[in-house]
Amino acid sequence: MNFVEELRWRGMLHDIMPGTEDLLNKGMTSGYIGFDPTADSLHVGHLTQIMTLIHFQRAGHKPYALVGGATGMVGDPSGKSAERNLLSEDVLQHNLESVQLQLQKFLDFNTGANSAQMVNNYDWFKSFTFLDFIRDVGKHITVNYMMSKDSVKKRLEGDTGMSFTEFTYQLVQGYDFYYLWKHNDCVLQMGGSDQWGNIVTGTELIRRKDAGEAYALTTQLIKKADGTKFGKTESGAVWLDPARTTPYQFYQFWLNTTDVDAKAYIRIFTLLEREAIEAMEAEQDAAPHLRVLQKALAKDITIRVHGEAEYEKAIKSSEFLFGNTGIEFLNELNEAEVIGLFEGVPNFKIALSDLQAGINSVDLLAASTAVFASKGEAKKMIQGGGVAINKVKIESPESVYNADALIGGKFLVAQKGKKNYFLIVVE
């Protein structure tokens, strides 16, 4: 497998330094991508870089995943309009450990010569004094060179300016590359297209400091076809941590991809072969309503991130909402998963004491909660057979519900018609 060609046909390649492809074709090459631990989880925006490392390893090369214990303390100005908040050491350490565990799920750390390796730049920066740094690193890169970078220019031209801390980020990242080149024979740094300036600073430092050769490759920044930011939903970022974004929500994010975006994403975010993808594209073009690409995309990536069992649970969750799966399925979910399943669905709270005493359906849906705007409306629709509690049709406006009806001791699910759900949560 040719790494660069693989990125090309998948639509991932953005920039590549001359000589890089020849280098990769000569044999196993060591290369790295950095991940700053700004949160205790990676999100889907990081998946492009994770997939780049996966393809790199599959092509026979040795991938390094660098977690930025040092750079995470500084803040990368690339693509930012304002300076980000600095994290405490305790928070940073927690984030580092969480991100490392996630990265270990994607790469093979026990496959011989090209086994993946995890490194933390805090290991080589923790004893590097400020004076040593400006003498041994800073003297090799001019201020003119640093200010010529787009990431710096945009911030300096903006209203917020840039602190010295963020200004030095490209030197710190550049030294990462130098250190890995010097000690790990790592001759290639990869990243998103917004990282080109920082990466090239590293190649320049290697050249000026030790007359060495190093190379750079960047991938496309992923956007939706309508130009909006990839990986964002109304409720925020889509995380890889199931405690932040449940596997069902994660699955739905990919399943709800537009036809145009699905054609791009299935190449970028899956390991499916070209022939299989092109066959599915033809099938999608012939019958768009079947959403073949979206289903394959959602399945592949949900299994890789969360495992087959969670994928099956996500399927059952969809069938629960849109099919005939019974209410007992909710007993398989924890509280966070139930809340995630009904994200975007109106939620109402009710006191446990109201249910313990017993409450009739009309009062439950139109007094204790606001599923219906009035008792008259509730009564009329119940009499028409169009309302259900826990997927069982309410027989009469006088039907009484108590705590025994609760799912997991916490929830009631109300339905108006087949698709209008309401979650009632007991306090």
Side-chain angles (χ1 to χ4, degrees), residues 302-362:
T302 301
I303 289 174
R304 189 154 359 99
V305 173
H306 294 297
E308 190 131 13
E310 292 296 340
Y311 164 72
E312 295 295 341
K313 194 186 288 185
I315 293 291
K316 287 182 181 178
S317 296
S318 297
E319 291 172 350
F320 173 83
L321 290 175
F322 307 111
N324 297 315
T325 301
I327 197 71
E328 63 278 357
F329 167 68
L330 293 189
N331 290 317
E332 299 177 25
L333 308 182
N334 60 39
E335 186 173 325
E337 289 173 330
V338 173
I339 297 294
L341 177 60
F342 290 99
E343 183 188 28
V345 166
N347 280 216
F348 299 104
K349 292 186 176 11
I350 186 172
L352 180 59
S353 57
D354 289 348
L355 276 176
Q356 286 173 331
I359 183 171
N360 72 55
S361 57
V362 172

Side-chain angles (χ1 to χ4, degrees), residues 11-23:
M12 296 172 69
L13 189 66
H14 187 268
D15 275 321
I16 183 168
M17 188 174 283
T20 304
E21 197 163 359
D22 291 338
L23 169 79

Side-chain angles (χ1 to χ4, degrees), residues 140 145 178 181 201-214:
H140 294 287
Y145 179 89
Y178 172 81
W181 173 84
T201 296
T203 65
E204 191 68 9
L205 180 62
I206 290 165
R207 185 183 70 81
R208 295 185 184 188
K209 188 169 169 58
D210 276 16
E213 277 191 314

